[in-house]
Coordinates of all heavy atoms in Angstrom, one line a residue:
F1 N -30.6 -58.7 21.0 CA -29.2 -58.4 21.2 C -28.7 -58.9 22.5 O -29.4 -58.9 23.5 CB -29.0 -56.9 21.1 CG -29.5 -56.3 19.8 CD1 -30.6 -55.4 19.8 CD2 -28.9 -56.5 18.7 CE1 -31.0 -54.8 18.6 CE2 -29.3 -56.0 17.5 CZ -30.3 -55.1 17.5
Q2 N -27.4 -59.3 22.5 CA -26.8 -59.6 23.8 C -26.3 -58.3 24.5 O -26.2 -58.3 25.7 CB -25.6 -60.5 23.6 CG -26.1 -61.9 23.1 CD -24.9 -62.8 22.9 OE1 -23.8 -62.4 22.9 NE2 -25.2 -64.1 22.8
D3 N -26.0 -57.3 23.7 CA -25.5 -56.0 24.2 C -26.7 -55.2 24.7 O -27.8 -55.2 24.0 CB -24.8 -55.3 23.1 CG -24.0 -54.1 23.5 OD1 -23.9 -53.9 24.8 OD2 -23.7 -53.3 22.7
L4 N -26.6 -54.5 25.8 CA -27.6 -53.6 26.2 C -27.5 -52.3 25.4 O -26.5 -51.9 25.1 CB -27.4 -53.2 27.7 CG -27.5 -54.3 28.7 CD1 -27.2 -53.8 30.1 CD2 -29.0 -54.8 28.7
I5 N -28.7 -51.8 25.0 CA -28.7 -50.6 24.2 C -29.1 -49.5 25.2 O -30.2 -49.5 25.7 CB -29.7 -50.7 23.0 CG1 -29.1 -51.8 22.1 CG2 -29.8 -49.3 22.3 CD1 -30.0 -52.0 20.9
E6 N -28.2 -48.5 25.4 CA -28.5 -47.5 26.4 C -29.4 -46.4 25.9 O -30.3 -45.9 26.7 CB -27.1 -46.8 26.8 CG -26.3 -47.7 27.8 CD -25.5 -48.8 27.0 OE1 -25.3 -48.8 25.8 OE2 -25.0 -49.7 27.7
D7 N -29.3 -46.0 24.7 CA -30.2 -44.9 24.2 C -30.9 -45.4 22.9 O -30.2 -45.9 22.0 CB -29.4 -43.6 23.9 CG -28.7 -43.0 25.1 OD1 -29.4 -43.1 26.2 OD2 -27.6 -42.5 25.0
V8 N -32.2 -45.1 22.8 CA -32.9 -45.5 21.6 C -33.7 -44.3 21.1 O -34.3 -43.5 21.9 CB -33.9 -46.6 21.9 CG1 -34.8 -47.0 20.7 CG2 -33.2 -47.8 22.4
Y9 N -33.7 -44.0 19.8 CA -34.3 -42.9 19.1 C -35.3 -43.4 18.1 O -34.9 -44.3 17.3 CB -33.3 -42.0 18.5 CG -32.3 -41.4 19.5 CD1 -31.1 -42.1 19.7 CD2 -32.6 -40.3 20.2 CE1 -30.2 -41.6 20.6 CE2 -31.7 -39.8 21.1 CZ -30.5 -40.5 21.3 OH -29.6 -40.0 22.2
R10 N -36.5 -42.9 18.1 CA -37.5 -43.3 17.1 C -37.4 -42.4 15.9 O -37.3 -41.2 16.0 CB -38.9 -43.2 17.7 CG -40.0 -43.6 16.7 CD -41.4 -43.4 17.4 NE -42.4 -43.5 16.4 CZ -43.6 -43.9 16.6 NH1 -44.0 -44.3 17.8 NH2 -44.5 -43.9 15.7
I11 N -37.5 -43.1 14.7 CA -37.4 -42.3 13.4 C -38.7 -42.7 12.6 O -38.9 -43.9 12.3 CB -36.2 -42.7 12.6 CG1 -34.9 -42.3 13.4 CG2 -36.2 -41.9 11.3 CD1 -33.7 -42.9 12.8
D12 N -39.5 -41.8 12.3 CA -40.6 -42.0 11.4 C -40.3 -41.5 10.0 O -40.0 -40.3 9.8 CB -41.9 -41.3 11.9 CG -42.3 -41.9 13.2 OD1 -42.4 -43.1 13.3 OD2 -42.6 -41.1 14.2
V13 N -40.3 -42.4 9.0 CA -40.0 -42.1 7.6 C -41.3 -42.1 6.9 O -42.0 -43.1 6.7 CB -39.0 -43.1 7.0 CG1 -38.7 -42.8 5.6 CG2 -37.7 -43.2 7.9
A14 N -41.6 -40.9 6.4 CA -42.9 -40.7 5.7 C -42.9 -41.3 4.2 O -43.9 -41.9 3.8 CB -43.3 -39.2 5.6
T15 N -41.8 -41.1 3.5 CA -41.6 -41.6 2.2 C -40.2 -42.2 2.0 O -39.3 -41.8 2.7 CB -41.8 -40.5 1.1 OG1 -40.8 -39.5 1.3 CG2 -43.2 -39.9 1.1
A16 N -40.1 -43.2 1.2 CA -38.8 -43.8 1.0 C -37.7 -42.8 0.6 O -37.9 -41.9 -0.1 CB -38.9 -44.9 -0.2
R17 N -36.5 -43.0 1.3 CA -35.4 -42.1 1.0 C -34.1 -42.7 1.5 O -34.2 -43.7 2.3 CB -35.7 -40.7 1.7 CG -35.9 -40.8 3.2 CD -36.1 -39.5 3.8 NE -34.7 -39.0 4.1 CZ -34.5 -38.1 5.1 NH1 -35.5 -37.6 5.7 NH2 -33.3 -37.7 5.3
T18 N -33.0 -42.1 1.1 CA -31.7 -42.6 1.6 C -31.4 -41.7 2.8 O -31.5 -40.5 2.8 CB -30.7 -42.4 0.5 OG1 -31.0 -43.3 -0.6 CG2 -29.3 -42.8 1.0
I19 N -30.9 -42.3 3.9 CA -30.5 -41.6 5.1 C -29.1 -42.0 5.5 O -28.7 -43.1 5.6 CB -31.5 -42.0 6.3 CG1 -32.9 -41.6 5.9 CG2 -31.1 -41.3 7.6 CD1 -34.0 -42.0 6.9
D20 N -28.3 -40.9 5.7 CA -27.0 -41.1 6.2 C -27.0 -40.9 7.8 O -27.5 -39.9 8.2 CB -26.0 -40.0 5.6 CG -25.8 -40.2 4.1 OD1 -25.6 -41.4 3.7 OD2 -25.9 -39.2 3.4
V21 N -26.4 -41.8 8.5 CA -26.4 -41.8 9.9 C -24.9 -41.8 10.4 O -24.1 -42.6 9.9 CB -27.1 -43.0 10.6 CG1 -27.1 -42.9 12.1 CG2 -28.5 -43.1 10.1
T22 N -24.6 -40.8 11.3 CA -23.2 -40.7 11.8 C -23.3 -40.6 13.3 O -24.0 -39.7 13.8 CB -22.4 -39.5 11.2 OG1 -22.4 -39.7 9.8 CG2 -21.0 -39.5 11.7
L23 N -22.5 -41.4 14.0 CA -22.4 -41.3 15.4 C -20.9 -40.8 15.8 O -20.0 -41.5 15.5 CB -22.6 -42.7 16.1 CG -22.4 -42.8 17.6 CD1 -23.4 -41.9 18.3 CD2 -22.5 -44.3 18.0
R24 N -20.8 -39.6 16.3 CA -19.5 -39.1 16.7 C -19.4 -39.1 18.2 O -20.3 -38.7 18.9 CB -19.4 -37.6 16.2 CG -19.5 -37.5 14.7 CD -19.3 -36.1 14.2 NE -19.7 -35.9 12.9 CZ -19.0 -36.3 11.8 NH1 -17.8 -36.8 12.1 NH2 -19.4 -36.1 10.6
F25 N -18.2 -39.5 18.7 CA -17.9 -39.6 20.1 C -16.4 -39.5 20.3 O -15.6 -39.8 19.4 CB -18.5 -40.9 20.7 CG -18.0 -42.1 20.0 CD1 -17.0 -42.9 20.4 CD2 -18.7 -42.6 18.9 CE1 -16.6 -44.0 19.7 CE2 -18.4 -43.7 18.2 CZ -17.3 -44.5 18.6
A26 N -16.0 -39.0 21.5 CA -14.6 -38.7 21.7 C -13.9 -39.8 22.4 O -12.7 -40.0 22.2 CB -14.5 -37.4 22.6
S27 N -14.6 -40.6 23.1 CA -13.9 -41.7 23.8 C -14.8 -42.9 24.0 O -16.0 -42.9 23.6 CB -13.4 -41.2 25.2 OG -14.5 -40.8 26.0
Y28 N -14.3 -44.0 24.6 CA -15.0 -45.2 24.7 C -15.3 -45.9 23.4 O -14.8 -45.5 22.4 CB -16.3 -45.0 25.5 CG -16.1 -44.4 26.9 CD1 -16.4 -43.1 27.1 CD2 -15.5 -45.1 27.9 CE1 -16.2 -42.5 28.3 CE2 -15.3 -44.5 29.1 CZ -15.6 -43.2 29.3 OH -15.4 -42.6 30.5
D29 N -16.0 -46.9 23.4 CA -16.4 -47.7 22.2 C -17.9 -47.8 22.1 O -18.5 -48.6 22.7 CB -15.7 -49.1 22.2 CG -16.0 -49.9 20.9 OD1 -16.6 -49.3 20.0 OD2 -15.7 -51.1 20.9
L30 N -18.5 -46.9 21.3 CA -19.9 -46.9 21.1 C -20.3 -47.6 19.8 O -19.5 -47.6 18.8 CB -20.5 -45.5 21.1 CG -20.2 -44.6 22.3 CD1 -20.8 -43.2 22.1 CD2 -20.8 -45.3 23.6
D31 N -21.4 -48.3 19.8 CA -21.9 -49.0 18.6 C -23.3 -48.4 18.2 O -24.0 -47.9 19.1 CB -22.0 -50.5 18.9 CG -20.7 -51.1 19.1 OD1 -19.7 -50.6 18.6 OD2 -20.6 -52.2 19.8
L32 N -23.6 -48.6 17.0 CA -24.9 -48.0 16.4 C -25.7 -49.2 15.9 O -25.2 -50.1 15.2 CB -24.5 -47.1 15.3 CG -25.5 -46.2 14.7 CD1 -26.2 -45.3 15.7 CD2 -24.8 -45.3 13.7
Y33 N -27.0 -49.2 16.2 CA -27.9 -50.2 15.7 C -29.1 -49.6 15.1 O -29.6 -48.5 15.5 CB -28.5 -51.0 16.9 CG -27.4 -51.8 17.7 CD1 -26.7 -51.2 18.7 CD2 -27.1 -53.1 17.3 CE1 -25.8 -51.9 19.4 CE2 -26.1 -53.8 17.9 CZ -25.4 -53.2 19.0 OH -24.5 -53.9 19.7
L34 N -29.6 -50.2 14.0 CA -30.8 -49.8 13.3 C -31.8 -50.9 13.4 O -31.5 -52.1 13.1 CB -30.6 -49.4 11.9 CG -31.8 -49.1 11.1 CD1 -32.5 -47.8 11.5 CD2 -31.5 -49.0 9.6
M35 N -33.0 -50.7 14.0 CA -34.0 -51.7 14.1 C -35.3 -51.3 13.4 O -35.6 -50.1 13.4 CB -34.3 -51.9 15.6 CG -33.1 -52.5 16.4 SD -33.2 -52.2 18.1 CE -32.8 -50.5 18.3
N36 N -36.0 -52.3 13.0 CA -37.3 -52.0 12.3 C -38.4 -51.9 13.4 O -38.1 -52.0 14.6 CB -37.7 -53.0 11.3 CG -37.8 -54.4 11.8 OD1 -38.0 -54.6 13.0 ND2 -37.7 -55.4 11.0
E37 N -39.6 -51.7 13.0 CA -40.7 -51.5 13.9 C -40.9 -52.7 14.9 O -41.4 -52.5 16.0 CB -42.0 -51.2 13.2 CG -43.1 -50.6 14.0 CD -44.2 -50.0 13.2 OE1 -44.3 -50.2 12.0 OE2 -45.0 -49.3 13.8
A38 N -40.6 -53.9 14.4 CA -40.7 -55.1 15.2 C -39.4 -55.2 16.2 O -39.3 -56.2 16.9 CB -40.8 -56.3 14.4
E39 N -38.6 -54.2 16.2 CA -37.3 -54.2 17.0 C -36.4 -55.3 16.6 O -35.6 -55.8 17.4 CB -37.7 -54.2 18.5 CG -38.5 -53.0 18.9 CD -38.8 -52.9 20.4 OE1 -38.2 -53.7 21.1 OE2 -39.6 -52.1 20.7
T40 N -36.4 -55.6 15.3 CA -35.4 -56.6 14.8 C -34.3 -55.8 14.1 O -34.5 -54.8 13.4 CB -36.1 -57.5 13.7 OG1 -37.2 -58.1 14.3 CG2 -35.1 -58.5 13.1
A41 N -33.1 -56.2 14.4 CA -31.9 -55.5 13.8 C -31.9 -55.5 12.3 O -32.1 -56.6 11.7 CB -30.6 -56.1 14.3
V42 N -31.8 -54.3 11.7 CA -31.7 -54.2 10.3 C -30.2 -54.0 9.9 O -29.7 -54.5 8.9 CB -32.6 -53.0 9.8 CG1 -32.4 -52.7 8.3 CG2 -34.0 -53.2 10.2
L43 N -29.5 -53.1 10.6 CA -28.1 -52.8 10.4 C -27.5 -52.7 11.8 O -28.1 -52.2 12.7 CB -27.9 -51.5 9.7 CG -28.3 -51.5 8.2 CD1 -28.2 -50.1 7.7 CD2 -27.3 -52.3 7.4
T44 N -26.2 -53.1 11.9 CA -25.4 -52.7 13.0 C -24.1 -52.2 12.6 O -23.6 -52.6 11.5 CB -25.1 -54.0 13.9 OG1 -24.4 -54.9 13.2 CG2 -26.4 -54.5 14.5
Q45 N -23.5 -51.3 13.3 CA -22.2 -50.7 12.9 C -21.3 -50.7 14.1 O -21.6 -50.1 15.2 CB -22.4 -49.3 12.4 CG -21.1 -48.6 11.9 CD -20.6 -49.4 10.7 OE1 -21.3 -49.8 9.8 NE2 -19.3 -49.5 10.7
S46 N -20.2 -51.4 14.0 CA -19.3 -51.5 15.1 C -17.9 -51.5 14.6 O -17.4 -52.5 14.0 CB -19.5 -52.8 15.9 OG -18.5 -52.9 16.9
N47 N -17.2 -50.4 14.7 CA -15.9 -50.2 14.2 C -14.8 -50.3 15.3 O -13.7 -49.8 15.1 CB -15.7 -48.8 13.5 CG -16.5 -48.8 12.2 OD1 -16.7 -49.8 11.5 ND2 -16.9 -47.6 11.8
G48 N -15.2 -50.9 16.4 CA -14.2 -50.9 17.5 C -14.1 -49.5 18.0 O -15.1 -48.8 18.1
T49 N -12.9 -49.1 18.3 CA -12.7 -47.7 18.8 C -12.5 -46.7 17.7 O -12.2 -45.5 18.0 CB -11.5 -47.7 19.8 OG1 -10.3 -48.2 19.1 CG2 -11.7 -48.6 21.0
E50 N -12.5 -47.1 16.4 CA -12.4 -46.1 15.3 C -13.6 -45.2 15.3 O -14.8 -45.7 15.6 CB -12.3 -46.9 14.0 CG -11.0 -47.5 13.7 CD -10.9 -48.1 12.3 OE1 -11.4 -47.4 11.4 OE2 -10.4 -49.2 12.2
R51 N -13.4 -44.0 15.1 CA -14.5 -43.0 15.1 C -14.6 -42.3 13.8 O -13.5 -42.0 13.2 CB -14.3 -42.0 16.2 CG -14.3 -42.7 17.6 CD -14.2 -41.7 18.7 NE -12.9 -41.5 19.2 CZ -12.1 -42.4 19.9 NH1 -12.6 -43.6 20.1 NH2 -11.0 -42.1 20.4
P52 N -15.7 -41.8 13.3 CA -17.0 -42.1 13.8 C -17.6 -43.4 13.3 O -17.0 -44.0 12.4 CB -17.8 -40.9 13.3 CG -17.2 -40.7 11.9 CD -15.7 -40.9 12.1
E53 N -18.7 -43.8 13.9 CA -19.5 -45.0 13.4 C -20.5 -44.4 12.4 O -21.1 -43.3 12.7 CB -20.3 -45.6 14.5 CG -19.5 -46.2 15.6 CD -18.9 -47.6 15.4 OE1 -19.2 -48.2 14.4 OE2 -18.2 -48.0 16.3
S54 N -20.7 -45.0 11.2 CA -21.6 -44.4 10.3 C -22.1 -45.5 9.3 O -21.5 -46.5 9.1 CB -21.0 -43.2 9.5 OG -19.9 -43.7 8.8
F55 N -23.3 -45.2 8.7 CA -23.8 -46.0 7.6 C -24.8 -45.2 6.8 O -25.3 -44.2 7.3 CB -24.4 -47.3 8.1 CG -25.5 -47.2 9.1 CD1 -26.8 -46.9 8.6 CD2 -25.3 -47.4 10.4 CE1 -27.8 -46.8 9.5 CE2 -26.4 -47.4 11.3 CZ -27.6 -47.1 10.9
T56 N -25.0 -45.7 5.6 CA -26.0 -45.1 4.7 C -27.1 -46.2 4.5 O -26.7 -47.3 4.3 CB -25.5 -44.7 3.4 OG1 -24.5 -43.7 3.6 CG2 -26.5 -44.1 2.4
W57 N -28.4 -45.8 4.6 CA -29.4 -46.8 4.6 C -30.6 -46.3 3.7 O -30.9 -45.1 3.7 CB -29.8 -47.0 6.1 CG -31.2 -47.1 6.5 CD1 -32.1 -48.1 6.1 CD2 -31.9 -46.3 7.4 NE1 -33.3 -48.0 6.8 CE2 -33.2 -46.9 7.6 CE3 -31.6 -45.2 8.1 CZ2 -34.2 -46.3 8.4 CZ3 -32.6 -44.6 9.0 CH2 -33.8 -45.2 9.1
S58 N -31.0 -47.2 2.9 CA -32.2 -46.9 2.0 C -33.4 -47.3 2.8 O -33.8 -48.5 2.9 CB -32.1 -47.7 0.7 OG -30.9 -47.3 0.0
A59 N -34.1 -46.3 3.3 CA -35.3 -46.5 4.2 C -36.6 -46.5 3.4 O -36.8 -45.6 2.6 CB -35.3 -45.4 5.2
A60 N -37.4 -47.5 3.6 CA -38.7 -47.5 3.1 C -39.6 -46.7 4.1 O -39.1 -46.5 5.2 CB -39.2 -49.0 3.0
A61 N -40.7 -46.3 3.7 CA -41.6 -45.6 4.6 C -41.9 -46.5 5.8 O -42.1 -47.7 5.6 CB -42.9 -45.2 3.9
G62 N -41.9 -46.0 7.0 CA -42.2 -46.8 8.2 C -41.5 -46.2 9.4 O -41.0 -45.1 9.4
T63 N -41.6 -46.9 10.5 CA -41.0 -46.5 11.8 C -39.8 -47.4 12.1 O -39.8 -48.6 11.9 CB -42.0 -46.7 13.0 OG1 -43.2 -45.9 12.7 CG2 -41.4 -46.3 14.3
Y64 N -38.7 -46.7 12.5 CA -37.4 -47.4 12.8 C -36.9 -46.8 14.1 O -37.4 -45.8 14.6 CB -36.4 -47.1 11.7 CG -36.8 -47.6 10.3 CD1 -37.6 -46.8 9.5 CD2 -36.5 -48.8 9.9 CE1 -38.0 -47.2 8.2 CE2 -36.9 -49.3 8.6 CZ -37.6 -48.5 7.8 OH -38.0 -48.9 6.6
Y65 N -35.9 -47.5 14.6 CA -35.3 -47.1 15.9 C -33.8 -47.2 15.7 O -33.3 -48.2 15.2 CB -35.7 -48.0 17.0 CG -37.2 -48.0 17.3 CD1 -38.1 -48.9 16.7 CD2 -37.8 -47.0 18.1 CE1 -39.4 -48.9 16.8 CE2 -39.1 -47.0 18.3 CZ -39.9 -47.9 17.7 OH -41.3 -47.9 17.9
L66 N -33.1 -46.1 16.1 CA -31.7 -46.1 16.2 C -31.2 -46.3 17.6 O -31.8 -45.6 18.5 CB -31.1 -44.8 15.7 CG -31.0 -44.6 14.2 CD1 -30.6 -43.1 13.9 CD2 -30.0 -45.5 13.6
G67 N -30.3 -47.2 17.8 CA -29.8 -47.5 19.2 C -28.4 -47.2 19.3 O -27.6 -47.5 18.4
V68 N -28.0 -46.5 20.4 CA -26.6 -46.2 20.7 C -26.2 -47.1 21.9 O -26.9 -47.0 22.9 CB -26.4 -44.7 20.9 CG1 -24.9 -44.5 21.3 CG2 -26.8 -43.9 19.7
S69 N -25.1 -47.8 21.8 CA -24.8 -48.7 22.9 C -23.3 -48.6 23.2 O -22.5 -48.6 22.2 CB -25.1 -50.1 22.5 OG -24.7 -51.0 23.5
F70 N -22.9 -48.7 24.4 CA -21.5 -48.9 24.8 C -21.2 -50.4 24.6 O -21.9 -51.3 24.9 CB -21.3 -48.5 26.3 CG -19.9 -48.7 26.7 CD1 -18.9 -47.9 26.1 CD2 -19.5 -49.5 27.7 CE1 -17.6 -48.0 26.5 CE2 -18.2 -49.7 28.1 CZ -17.2 -48.9 27.5
A71 N -20.0 -50.6 23.9 CA -19.7 -52.0 23.5 C -19.5 -53.0 24.6 O -19.7 -54.2 24.4 CB -18.5 -51.9 22.5
D72 N -19.0 -52.5 25.7 CA -18.7 -53.5 26.8 C -19.6 -53.2 28.0 O -19.4 -52.2 28.8 CB -17.3 -53.4 27.2 CG -16.8 -54.4 28.2 OD1 -17.7 -55.1 28.8 OD2 -15.6 -54.5 28.4
D73 N -20.6 -54.0 28.3 CA -21.6 -53.8 29.4 C -21.0 -54.1 30.7 O -21.6 -53.9 31.7 CB -22.8 -54.6 29.1 CG -23.6 -54.1 28.0 OD1 -23.6 -52.8 27.8 OD2 -24.2 -54.9 27.2
N74 N -19.8 -54.6 30.8 CA -19.1 -55.0 32.0 C -18.4 -53.8 32.7 O -17.9 -53.9 33.8 CB -18.2 -56.2 31.9 CG -19.0 -57.4 31.5 OD1 -20.0 -57.7 32.0 ND2 -18.4 -58.1 30.5
I75 N -18.3 -52.7 31.9 CA -17.6 -51.5 32.4 C -18.6 -50.5 32.8 O -19.6 -50.2 32.1 CB -16.6 -50.9 31.4 CG1 -15.5 -51.9 31.1 CG2 -16.1 -49.6 31.8 CD1 -14.6 -51.5 29.9
I76 N -18.5 -49.9 34.0 CA -19.4 -48.8 34.4 C -18.9 -47.5 33.8 O -17.8 -47.1 34.0 CB -19.4 -48.7 36.0 CG1 -20.0 -50.0 36.5 CG2 -20.3 -47.5 36.4 CD1 -19.9 -50.1 38.0
L77 N -19.8 -46.9 33.1 CA -19.5 -45.6 32.4 C -19.9 -44.4 33.2 O -20.8 -44.5 34.0 CB -20.3 -45.5 31.1 CG -19.9 -46.5 30.0 CD1 -20.9 -46.4 28.9 CD2 -18.5 -46.3 29.5
P78 N -19.1 -43.3 33.0 CA -19.6 -42.1 33.6 C -21.0 -41.7 32.9 O -21.2 -42.1 31.7 CB -18.6 -41.1 33.2 CG -17.8 -41.7 32.1 CD -18.0 -43.2 32.2
S79 N -21.8 -41.1 33.6 CA -23.1 -40.8 33.0 C -23.3 -39.3 32.8 O -23.1 -38.6 33.8 CB -24.2 -41.4 33.9 OG -25.5 -41.1 33.3
P80 N -23.7 -38.8 31.7 CA -23.8 -39.5 30.4 C -22.5 -39.5 29.6 O -21.7 -38.7 29.9 CB -24.9 -38.7 29.7 CG -24.6 -37.3 30.2 CD -24.2 -37.5 31.6
V81 N -22.4 -40.5 28.7 CA -21.3 -40.5 27.8 C -21.6 -39.5 26.6 O -22.7 -39.7 26.0 CB -21.0 -41.9 27.3 CG1 -19.9 -41.9 26.2 CG2 -20.6 -42.8 28.4
P82 N -20.8 -38.5 26.4 CA -21.2 -37.5 25.3 C -21.0 -38.1 23.9 O -20.0 -38.8 23.6 CB -20.3 -36.4 25.6 CG -19.1 -36.9 26.3 CD -19.6 -38.1 27.1
Y83 N -22.0 -37.9 23.1 CA -21.9 -38.2 21.7 C -22.9 -37.3 20.9 O -23.7 -36.7 21.4 CB -22.2 -39.7 21.4 CG -23.6 -40.1 21.8 CD1 -24.7 -40.0 20.9 CD2 -23.9 -40.7 23.0 CE1 -25.9 -40.4 21.2 CE2 -25.2 -41.1 23.3 CZ -26.2 -40.9 22.4 OH -27.5 -41.4 22.7
T84 N -22.7 -37.3 19.6 CA -23.6 -36.6 18.6 C -24.1 -37.6 17.6 O -23.3 -38.3 17.0 CB -22.8 -35.5 17.9 OG1 -22.3 -34.6 18.9 CG2 -23.8 -34.7 17.0
L85 N -25.4 -37.7 17.4 CA -26.0 -38.5 16.4 C -26.5 -37.6 15.3 O -27.4 -36.8 15.6 CB -27.1 -39.4 17.1 CG -27.7 -40.5 16.2 CD1 -26.7 -41.5 15.7 CD2 -28.8 -41.2 17.0
E86 N -26.1 -37.8 14.1 CA -26.5 -37.0 12.9 C -27.2 -37.8 11.9 O -26.8 -38.9 11.6 CB -25.3 -36.4 12.3 CG -24.4 -35.5 13.2 CD -23.1 -35.1 12.5 OE1 -22.9 -35.5 11.3 OE2 -22.3 -34.4 13.1
L87 N -28.3 -37.3 11.4 CA -29.1 -37.9 10.4 C -29.2 -36.9 9.2 O -29.6 -35.8 9.5 CB -30.5 -38.3 10.8 CG -30.6 -39.6 11.6 CD1 -30.1 -39.4 13.0 CD2 -32.0 -40.1 11.5
R88 N -28.9 -37.4 8.0 CA -29.1 -36.5 6.8 C -29.7 -37.2 5.7 O -29.7 -38.4 5.6 CB -27.7 -36.0 6.3 CG -27.1 -35.1 7.3 CD -25.8 -34.5 6.7 NE -24.8 -35.1 7.6 CZ -23.6 -35.4 7.3 NH1 -23.1 -35.2 6.1 NH2 -22.7 -35.9 8.2

């Protein structure tokens, strides 16, 4: 990725299933990335400043990573930027 990913979360999927992912945030422009175990992008979600960012994904068993990133790495953000990441 050219964009820096500020926060990364590991997800271990024991059996194949459908997973809904939602990223809720009040301000700024956050993007959501899904990567496989080799850290290759599987899905990216970038709606600009529209909120929330979300996607539904059919996950095979395995290890995945969700990344949350501020869309513009040239701006210094207050730390931390509040958001909620939901998986269902």
Side-chain angles (χ1 to χ4, degrees):
F1 299 115
Q2 291 181 347
D3 189 15
L4 295 175
I5 297 177
E6 285 79 16
D7 296 323
V8 177
Y9 301 92
R10 179 180 167 153
I11 301 169
D12 292 314
V13 178
T15 58
R17 58 178 274 203
T18 299
I19 299 175
D20 295 314
V21 180
T22 303
L23 175 64
R24 299 182 191 284
F25 51 97
S27 58
Y28 303 105
D29 180 8
L30 300 181
D31 294 333
L32 189 56
Y33 297 91
L34 174 67
M35 296 160 282
N36 61 18
E37 196 165 12
E39 298 182 13
T40 302
V42 176
L43 288 171
T44 61
Q45 185 62 40
S46 176
N47 290 333
T49 57
E50 287 187 40
R51 298 181 265 292
E53 302 275 357
S54 63
F55 59 78
T56 299
W57 140 63
S58 296
T63 299
Y64 299 88
Y65 299 91
L66 279 174
V68 177
S69 176
F70 182 61
D72 187 348
D73 292 324
N74 296 318
I75 296 174
I76 296 173
L77 294 174
S79 182
V81 172
Y83 65 83
T84 303
L85 186 59
E86 301 171 0
L87 280 77
R88 290 184 248 151

